Amino acid sequence: MMKKSTIVLLLALTACSSPAEDPILKDPASWPLATLKAVRTKGDLDEKADKALARIQVGSHDLAPWINAKGTCGLTDHGSGEEWSLSIGLDQSSGASTSGEEGFAGQVEPAALASWDSTVYLICTPTRMMVKVKTRETKVELSGSASAQVGNGLVAVVIGTPEARKESLPQATVTGK
């Protein structure tokens, strides 16, 4: 069930922007995220999801970041007591882009942001996804193509190729299996 207070936002993460005709947005099947192996999750994914790319367990959250062939990325939680899911299409990024937001280093590319209850944030790009969870928990379990860093009341997880994860979270303390 999607919580009513779910806020879906698009924002420019930096002053930079990518060209509106970015060819990578036209073919989601060519995204590096699309090449990642699917993982099993605790429960069912959102009906829009094609495959889960990771499983993130932290505190009461059991999160499954997912994508579909239409260019939508999302996040489903099976563990916080209230199952919820959020999603956003990168074709809706309106020129938002990443370039150096704290903890999200890497190439400048189109990005979209969605959040749930001001505690879980999802940032999507064609090459990687980042999930940030505000929590005091320090134990994190990962499976799939994910790496995490814990600190200052925040768990940051990057989902992507090994190169993308190393670029975005070079100080990662937990890696998915």
Side-chain angles (χ1 to χ4, degrees), residues 107-127:
Q107 61 189 355
V108 174
E109 57 186 332
L113 172 78
S115 68
W116 180 81
D117 202 30
S118 299
T119 59
V120 179
Y121 298 88
L122 173 66
I123 302 168
C124 298
T125 77
T127 64

Side-chain angles (χ1 to χ4, degrees), residues 21-136:
E21 300 87 34
D22 193 333
I24 198 164
L25 287 178
K26 292 182 182 187
D27 184 16
S30 69
W31 295 357
L33 284 176
T35 66
L36 300 177
K37 186 177 172 182
V39 299
R40 289 184 176 213
T41 61
K42 179 180 175 182
D44 293 332
L45 295 175
D46 185 282
E47 62 187 29
K48 296 180 216 164
D50 287 344
K51 67 178 177 179
L53 301 179
R55 183 174 177 194
I56 305 162
Q57 296 170 275
V58 57
S60 64
H61 296 286
D62 192 337
L63 302 165
W66 55 264
I67 62 168
N68 71 21
K70 294 179 181 172
T72 301
C73 64
L75 188 66
T76 300
D77 188 352
H78 298 291
S80 61
E82 180 182 350
E83 196 167 299
W84 54 265
S85 190
L86 54 89
S87 64
I88 191 156
L90 278 175
D91 59 345
Q92 301 169 3
S93 66
S94 307
S97 64
T98 62
S99 71
E101 182 212 356
E102 183 180 332
F104 202 71
Q107 61 189 355
V108 174
E109 57 186 332
L113 172 78
S115 68
W116 180 81
D117 202 30
S118 299
T119 59
V120 179
Y121 298 88
L122 173 66
I123 302 168
C124 298
T125 77
T127 64
R128 65 199 86 204
M129 296 168 74
M130 177 177 265
V131 175
K132 290 185 176 186
V133 180
K134 290 183 182 179
T135 181
R136 292 189 175 150

